Amino acid sequence: MPSNETLASIVKQIPYKVLVLGGSYAGLGAALNLQDLCSGRKARFAAQAPDTSKFGKISVEITVVDEKDGYFHLISTPLALASSEYAPRAWTKFRDLPALKDIRFIQGTAEKVDSVKKHAVILDSETKSPVTLEYDYLVAATGLRRAWPVVPQAKTRESYLSEAAEHIEAVRKAKDGVAVIGGGAVGIEMAAEIKLVMPDQKVTLIHSRDRLCSSEPLPDEFKDRCLSTLHEAGVETIMGQRVLSVETSQSEEGDAISELTLADNSKLRAGYVIHAISRSIPSTTYLPALALDNEGYVKVTPRLHLTPDMPNSLNHFAIGDIAKWSGIKRCGSAMHMGQYAAQNIHQLMLVEQEGIKPEFLELNEIPPMIGIAVGKQAVAYWPADGVTYGESVQDMCFGNDLGYTICWNHMQLGKECPS
């Protein structure tokens, strides 16, 4: 009969199975930081994290499941749908990301999670058949479902490029200008990016309230600055007017014409209409109802695992936009949650492997904060700094590619992880 020491050695060699549902900022953040920690390195997002390298490597198999075949830089959507030069850059297939070389990827949709048995049913996009995956730890990071064109609906890079090209061409050919309906962050950025990329195109943003970003808990100074910066970018605005109807026809030359009727019965003619209003719906139907609130968001503790009323709650984490937590939904918060989930999972592994006293990370309440790109400038609000704006803010928050390089470098997606 093997000794206790031999049994312990065998247990250490059996790889933990970690299943990450969602391959965007939160999901990749969790997968890559956990890969670092289990390889005996510091987590890539945490320069000041406790050094756990003395415990050596932990055998782990990480699987990422996503409906798309690649990483899409979501916050660059307004630029990707305005610039044919930029669009190809925004989407990279998972198989082409050096950082994911040792992480398994399945393109598919999560259909059901059984937290008692710790297995998930995935509908494989390639085989069209359900696959059951067992796991030791699950990280739910499937984000929110948003309508076109707030986000691309394509599932493959090829179909995304076709979708984007068709949209860009329609914007370019709109002889009567472009009307953007909705004055939230997405509408502002879409209007501004079109005007930046196509300066000769007339762009009009229509918002039903008197101030932009009206649904967000942000100071009026921020909202007013967004409006003035949008005007500086050359975008025309119609405020306090709801669009009652949009009737589309064709000119004698075959060009599309849309006539918008506003709440005061005035009319606006446009060659192309963009609906930048989308009710965000959490993509969480695969989780047990007990895990969700009445809007579909996942109830989590400050350590980002599910609440104790869920079976095996310590083995199940939810992060990113689907997590019921304070603050405006942002990619920075999503990546931050990914790091916390990874480090807390690693601590749980060390408890089992080394018998350590765990040092869990707990997420604080997140106050409202945001940055919005408006052409060559950006407008930002951070509680500590208040409202800031200008080209320097654009450079700090977004660079010249709506944050693509900033996020790519932060996640180290182009860097192959050492074995």
Side-chain angles (χ1 to χ4, degrees), residues 1 4 35-36 38 45 86 88 95 167 209 217 246 252 275 301 323 327 331 334 356 374 380 391 394-395:
M1 182 176 179
N4 290 338
Q35 180 178 242
D36 289 339
C38 289
F45 289 1
Y86 177 80
R95 71 186 185 200
H167 176 85
R209 304 298 179 88
V246 179
E252 293 181 0
H275 293 267
T301 72
C331 75
I356 68 161
V374 191
E391 293 186 19
Q394 168 82 320
D395 186 59

Side-chain angles (χ1 to χ4, degrees), residues 327-347:
I328 295 171
K329 305 297 185 184
R330 300 166 42 249
C331 75
S333 298
M335 290 189 285
H336 187 59
M337 288 182 182
Q339 175 210 327
Y340 272 39
Q343 293 197 197
N344 288 340
I345 290 171
H346 186 245
Q347 287 293 303

Side-chain angles (χ1 to χ4, degrees), residues 260-316:
L260 290 73
T261 302
L262 307 183
D264 63 356
N265 289 319
S266 62
K267 307 287 186 180
L268 176 71
R269 181 167 162 152
Y272 190 64
V273 178
I274 297 173
H275 293 267
I277 302 171
S278 173
R279 180 172 177 264
S280 300
I281 302 172
S283 180
T284 55
T285 54
Y286 56 88
L287 289 169
L290 188 61
L292 311 176
D293 72 358
N294 57 8
E295 294 183 319
Y297 291 93
V298 187
K299 296 177 290 186
V300 295
T301 72
R303 296 176 185 175
L304 294 172
H305 59 71
L306 301 192
T307 50
D309 54 343
M310 280 294 298
N312 294 316
S313 62
L314 293 178
N315 299 81
H316 296 80

Side-chain angles (χ1 to χ4, degrees), residues 17-320:
K17 294 180 180 179
V18 179
L19 178 59
V20 179
L21 303 178
S24 193
Y25 307 110
L28 291 184
L32 292 169
N33 279 276
L34 185 59
Q35 180 178 242
D36 289 339
L37 292 164
C38 289
S39 298
R41 301 186 297 271
K42 282 190 174 183
R44 65 189 59 202
F45 289 1
Q48 305 302 318
D51 186 4
T52 56
S53 60
K54 63 183 177 182
F55 297 111
K57 297 181 179 181
I58 293 178
S59 183
V60 64
E61 292 177 357
I62 302 173
T63 300
V64 174
V65 176
D66 197 278
E67 293 181 348
K68 303 185 300 298
D69 70 359
Y71 160 71
F72 176 67
H73 180 52
L74 188 63
I75 64 174
S76 74
T77 299
L79 178 57
L81 297 183
S83 169
S84 55
E85 292 183 2
Y86 177 80
R89 187 181 176 196
W91 188 304
T92 306
K93 291 194 176 189
F94 288 117
R95 71 186 185 200
D96 296 329
L97 290 171
L100 300 186
K101 179 178 70 73
D102 296 324
I103 292 176
R104 179 189 181 196
F105 169 71
I106 297 175
Q107 186 178 0
T109 304
E111 292 203 321
K112 183 180 180 181
V113 165
D114 187 326
S115 67
V116 177
K117 296 180 180 178
K118 290 193 287 188
H119 71 221
V121 178
I122 308 298
L123 182 63
D124 189 295
S125 297
E126 184 176 350
T127 65
K128 310 299 183 186
S129 300
V131 179
T132 299
L133 301 178
E134 296 180 349
Y135 59 82
D136 297 296
Y137 295 97
L138 179 134
V139 180
T142 41
L144 307 179
R145 294 200 181 278
R146 301 177 175 96
W148 168 265
V150 174
V151 296
Q153 303 299 294
K155 300 295 187 278
T156 66
R157 187 174 187 272
E158 292 78 11
S159 56
Y160 150 72
L161 290 174
S162 176
E163 189 177 55
E166 185 177 339
H167 176 85
I168 292 168
E169 181 65 8
V171 170
R172 187 188 64 79
K173 290 172 59 178
K175 293 181 179 179
D176 290 294
V178 176
V180 179
I181 303 173
V186 172
I188 294 170
E189 292 188 338
M190 281 194 156
E193 291 302 319
I194 291 171
K195 193 65 181 177
L196 181 65
V197 175
M198 307 177 193
D200 295 331
Q201 182 60 279
K202 178 185 177 183
V203 182
T204 304
L205 183 140
I206 307 166
H207 189 53
S208 61
R209 304 298 179 88
D210 293 331
R211 282 193 166 97
L212 298 173
C213 296
S214 51
S215 63
E216 300 292 0
L218 295 164
D220 288 346
E221 180 190 355
F222 172 85
K223 300 173 182 182
D224 294 341
R225 175 49 59 181
C226 284
L227 182 62
S228 59
T229 306
L230 200 58
H231 290 161
E232 290 171 13
V235 175
E236 299 178 17
T237 59
I238 298 174
M239 304 295 293
Q241 290 291 325
R242 187 176 301 279
V243 177
L244 300 180
S245 65
V246 179
E247 296 183 7
T248 303
S249 59
Q250 278 191 339
S251 68
E252 293 181 0
E253 293 80 19
D255 299 317
I257 301 172
S258 293
E259 185 175 81
L260 290 73
T261 302
L262 307 183
D264 63 356
N265 289 319
S266 62
K267 307 287 186 180
L268 176 71
R269 181 167 162 152
Y272 190 64
V273 178
I274 297 173
H275 293 267
I277 302 171
S278 173
R279 180 172 177 264
S280 300
I281 302 172
S283 180
T284 55
T285 54
Y286 56 88
L287 289 169
L290 188 61
L292 311 176
D293 72 358
N294 57 8
E295 294 183 319
Y297 291 93
V298 187
K299 296 177 290 186
V300 295
T301 72
R303 296 176 185 175
L304 294 172
H305 59 71
L306 301 192
T307 50
D309 54 343
M310 280 294 298
N312 294 316
S313 62
L314 293 178
N315 299 81
H316 296 80
F317 290 73
I319 56 177

